[in-house]
């Protein structure tokens, strides 16, 4: 059969396929929903891992995947429910036909109202069919819109990072700044055109400056892949009405998803550890969920029976910034942090690393103050990873002279305030010491 869109046989085949597409929709929705619920946990874990690693590049990818998951799952569940209702309505129509308002024997006022607002049963079936069919198109359009937004945000971040690595008078600023301005202005105009359903395309006086932006952004946002669906969606009154409620609808769903129930004015799952709060993310043995990671620092458990206390402190890029600020000789000529490829490296060369690593660890030890109640302890760090694969440094504190009962471990880090140096409190972790 010819694939020519003007061929009568091809058009007839499309009409038949359109009428029978509900079966394909249900099959695809069923398999897709099953697959979506299989992959949601790995996506959530990856999102948390990238946040802990401060990996902005992978973070964009997995955050986009997570939001796409919610969009697709919500729409496909709605599709299955509506399609099930449609099948039930078709079955009911086969049994009882159209609505017979005379058989209901309602008063003339209610009969008139129901005939006007409810109408025929066939009209109800047709509306359900229309909504079921269009949900599929809307689902993937929303995912493509999200992908376009992520691409623009990623480009803005890449350009800003590329500019940041150069000097103030470096050529990077002269190249990067115009690109940043173009992307920002183009994004604003594209968004205006989107929410106004093509207003900038209708006016002759806007064409001369918007057309070049439109031409570039159709490739940057990959809109050339789905534009026919958008225009086919907007060329009907039903499509235009639906497009107006999509954004408010998803904002409402997002607000509803973030709604919770509070049982206390003081108890909060997000409270950080202190003398009055013991957060599970600061104790090794309580971190059981795959999405739980150590927050700032951790000890083995709330109750310590060994004559020593194992302490793990999570590494963060701000820590290394502070080390370079206080110890200038440790700062490399080129900062290798960030994205690297198989043809580059993420650390200083092997020889310099072996030579400077002991000094780097010594600097870390001088950056921290460790205190249990009022007693200070000298840290002796080794670089390591914990069971959640988080980078950090570990030390052991001697508890021989510590009394039985409740204690408070306090971690402070060296910082600057104007011209003075002081130690800023990072976290306090309560524990109980009962030696065997």
């Amino acid at each position: 059969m010819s694939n020519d869109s003007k061929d009568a046989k091809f058009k007839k085949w499309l009409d038949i396929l359109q009428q029978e597409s509900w079966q394909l929709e249900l099959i695809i929705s069923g398999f897709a929903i099953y697959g979506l619920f299989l992959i949601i946990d790995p996506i959530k874990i990856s999102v948390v891992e990238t946040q802990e690693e401060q990996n902005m590049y992978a973070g964009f990818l997995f955050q986009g995947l997570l939001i796409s998951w919610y969009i697709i799952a919500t729409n496909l569940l709605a599709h299955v429910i509506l399609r099930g209702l449609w099948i039930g309505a078709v079955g009911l129509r086969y049994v009882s036909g159209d609505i017979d308002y005379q058989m209901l024997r309602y008063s003339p006022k209610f009969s008139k109202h129901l005939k006007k607002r409810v109408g025929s049963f066939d009209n109800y079936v047709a509306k359900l069919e229309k909504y079921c069919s269009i949900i599929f198109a809307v689902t993937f359009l929303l995912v493509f819109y999200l992908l376009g937004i992520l691409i623009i945000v990623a480009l803005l971040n890449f350009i800003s990072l590329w500019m940041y690595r150069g000097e103030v008078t470096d050529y990077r600023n002269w190249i990067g700044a115009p690109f940043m301005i173009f992307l920002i202005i183009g994004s604003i105009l594209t968004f205006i055109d989107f929410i106004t359903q093509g207003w900038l395309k209708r006016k002759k006086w806007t064409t001369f400056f918007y057309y070049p932006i439109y031409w570039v952004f159709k490739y940057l946002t990959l809109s050339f892949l789905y534009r026919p669906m958008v225009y086919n969606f907007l060329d009907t009154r039903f499509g235009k009405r639906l497009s107006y409620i999509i954004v408010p609808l998803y904002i409402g769903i997002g607000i509803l998803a973030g709604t919770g129930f509070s049982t206390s004015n003081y108890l909060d799952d997000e409270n950080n550890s202190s003398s009055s709060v013991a957060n599970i993310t600061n104790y090794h043995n309580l971190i059981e969920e795959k999405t739980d990671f150590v927050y700032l620092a951790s000890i083995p458990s709330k109750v310590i029976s060994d004559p020593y206390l194992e302490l793990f402190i999570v590494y963060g890029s701000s820590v290394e910034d502070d080390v370079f600020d206080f110890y200038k000789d440790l700062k490399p000529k080129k900062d290798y942090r960030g994205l690297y490829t198989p043809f580059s490296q993420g650390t200083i060369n092997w020889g310099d690393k072996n030579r400077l690593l002991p000094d780097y660890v010594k600097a870390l030890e001088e950056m921290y103050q460790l205190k249990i109640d009022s007693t200070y302890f000298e840290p002796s760090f080794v670089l390591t990873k914990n069971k959640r694969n988080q980078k950090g440094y570990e030390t052991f504190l001697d508890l021989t002279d510590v009394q039985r009962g409740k204690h408070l471990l306090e971690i402070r880090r060296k910082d600057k305030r104007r011209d003075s140096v002081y130690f800023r409190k990072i976290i306090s972790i309560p524990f109980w010491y009962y030696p065997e």
Side-chain angles (χ1 to χ4, degrees):
M1 182 179 62
S2 172
N3 289 332
D4 185 5
S5 60
K6 297 180 180 180
D7 186 29
K9 291 183 179 180
F10 182 74
K11 289 184 177 181
K12 185 178 180 180
W13 175 76
L14 281 180
D15 290 337
I16 296 173
L17 187 63
Q18 178 180 312
Q19 294 174 5
E20 302 296 330
S21 64
W22 65 272
Q23 302 173 35
L24 293 174
E25 290 174 7
L26 278 179
I27 293 172
I28 293 173
S29 293
F31 279 106
I33 291 171
Y34 176 74
L36 286 170
F37 281 96
L38 288 179
I39 65 172
I40 181 59
D41 285 339
I43 292 176
K44 286 183 176 179
I45 293 171
S46 297
V47 168
V48 178
E49 286 178 346
T50 55
Q51 291 174 347
E52 292 296 323
E53 295 172 357
Q54 300 178 349
N55 188 339
M56 180 190 69
Y57 308 100
F60 272 118
L61 173 63
F62 288 111
Q63 284 287 355
L65 284 176
L66 184 61
I67 298 173
S68 298
W69 186 94
Y70 282 110
I71 291 174
I72 296 173
T74 301
N75 285 12
L76 291 186
L77 284 172
H79 172 263
V80 169
I81 293 171
L82 288 177
R83 186 56 80 178
L85 184 61
W86 175 82
I87 293 173
V90 171
L92 183 60
R93 183 184 182 281
Y94 174 77
V95 173
S96 61
D98 207 345
I99 301 174
D100 190 346
Y101 290 101
Q102 292 182 353
M103 289 292 295
L104 297 174
R105 292 184 296 176
Y106 290 155
S107 67
K109 186 175 182 64
F110 273 103
S111 295
K112 182 180 179 181
H113 173 78
L114 292 175
K115 287 179 180 179
K116 181 179 179 181
R117 296 298 179 184
V118 177
S120 68
F121 195 69
D122 288 355
N123 185 48
Y124 173 70
V125 174
K127 284 183 178 179
L128 285 177
E129 167 65 25
K130 187 186 297 184
Y131 281 108
C132 290
S133 297
I134 210 165
I135 275 182
F136 249 71
V138 170
T139 300
F140 295 101
L141 280 179
L142 289 173
V143 172
F144 274 113
Y145 287 152
L146 174 65
L147 180 60
I149 293 171
L150 290 176
I151 290 173
I152 297 301
V153 174
L155 284 174
L156 289 171
N157 277 276
F158 291 155
I159 293 173
S160 62
L161 288 174
W162 183 71
M163 291 170 60
Y164 175 75
R165 290 188 175 182
E167 300 295 335
V168 177
T169 58
D170 196 13
Y171 72 95
R172 299 187 182 199
N173 295 315
W174 294 100
I175 298 175
F179 274 106
M180 290 274 288
I181 294 171
F182 174 77
L183 285 175
I184 293 171
I185 294 175
S187 300
I188 294 172
L189 291 176
T190 302
F191 179 72
I192 292 173
D193 190 62
F194 169 74
I195 62 174
T196 58
Q197 297 183 356
W199 183 81
L200 292 177
K201 299 188 189 78
R202 298 192 190 104
K203 306 298 179 179
K204 291 183 178 180
W205 63 271
T206 60
T207 302
F208 78 96
F209 68 85
Y210 181 62
Y211 181 78
I213 293 174
Y214 166 79
W215 190 87
V216 173
F217 271 73
K218 74 178 180 181
Y219 294 106
L220 292 181
T221 60
L222 305 181
S223 66
F224 65 92
L225 295 174
Y226 57 88
R227 280 183 303 170
M229 292 180 65
V230 175
Y231 298 137
N232 196 25
F233 183 68
L234 295 176
D235 67 356
T236 62
R237 182 179 299 179
F238 175 76
K240 288 183 177 181
R241 288 178 178 176
L242 187 60
S243 66
Y244 282 127
I245 67 171
I246 284 177
V247 174
L249 176 64
Y250 275 89
I251 291 174
I253 292 174
I255 293 172
L256 185 63
T259 302
F261 184 81
S262 175
T263 57
S264 171
N265 288 292
Y266 294 93
L267 300 182
D268 184 1
D269 293 339
E270 301 300 323
N271 281 342
N272 297 328
S273 289
S274 65
S275 59
S276 304
V277 179
N279 193 312
I280 63 170
T281 59
N282 297 124
Y283 304 95
H284 298 334
N285 64 329
L286 297 181
I287 301 177
E288 297 178 352
E289 296 292 332
K290 292 182 178 180
T291 53
D292 287 338
F293 288 82
V294 171
Y295 176 69
L296 297 179
S298 65
I299 59 177
S301 65
K302 293 179 182 177
V303 179
I304 304 298
S305 57
D306 296 319
Y308 56 85
L309 179 65
E310 179 186 357
L311 172 62
F312 176 81
I313 300 176
V314 178
Y315 163 80
S317 59
S318 62
V319 176
E320 194 155 293
D321 291 334
D322 290 344
V323 170
F324 294 159
D325 192 29
F326 283 102
Y327 304 90
K328 306 293 186 183
D329 55 329
L330 291 174
K331 185 176 182 179
K333 294 181 180 179
K334 178 182 178 182
D335 196 336
Y336 291 95
R337 289 176 295 179
L339 189 67
Y340 67 92
T341 68
F343 308 102
S344 60
Q345 57 191 33
T347 62
I348 59 177
N349 64 66
W350 183 81
D352 289 339
K353 184 163 62 174
N354 280 349
R355 178 172 56 87
L356 295 173
L357 189 59
D359 295 333
Y360 179 78
V361 175
K362 182 65 177 176
L364 286 174
E365 293 171 351
E366 295 176 1
M367 289 285 296
Y368 283 90
Q369 279 187 351
L370 308 178
K371 184 174 69 168
I372 297 179
D373 300 330
S374 59
T375 305
Y376 286 90
F377 292 79
E378 290 292 333
S380 180
F381 289 138
V382 292
L383 306 182
T384 185
K385 292 183 179 180
N386 63 5
K387 64 180 182 180
R388 284 288 185 264
N389 207 34
Q390 291 176 274
K391 295 178 182 178
Y393 17 97
E394 187 178 55
T395 189
F396 291 79
L397 309 181
D398 187 1
L399 301 182
T400 304
D401 298 328
V402 176
Q403 300 296 318
R404 297 165 64 91
K406 181 184 176 182
H407 299 279
L408 186 67
L409 169 66
E410 188 173 286
I411 303 173
R412 295 176 177 270
R413 197 171 83 209
K414 188 186 291 187
D415 203 347
K416 286 183 179 180
R417 180 186 294 152
R418 296 180 182 175
D419 296 330
S420 62
V421 176
Y422 73 106
F423 282 87
R424 174 171 54 90
K425 185 173 77 171
I426 302 300
I427 194 171
S428 298
I429 305 175
F431 70 96
W432 284 259
Y433 179 51
Y434 292 106
E436 296 179 352

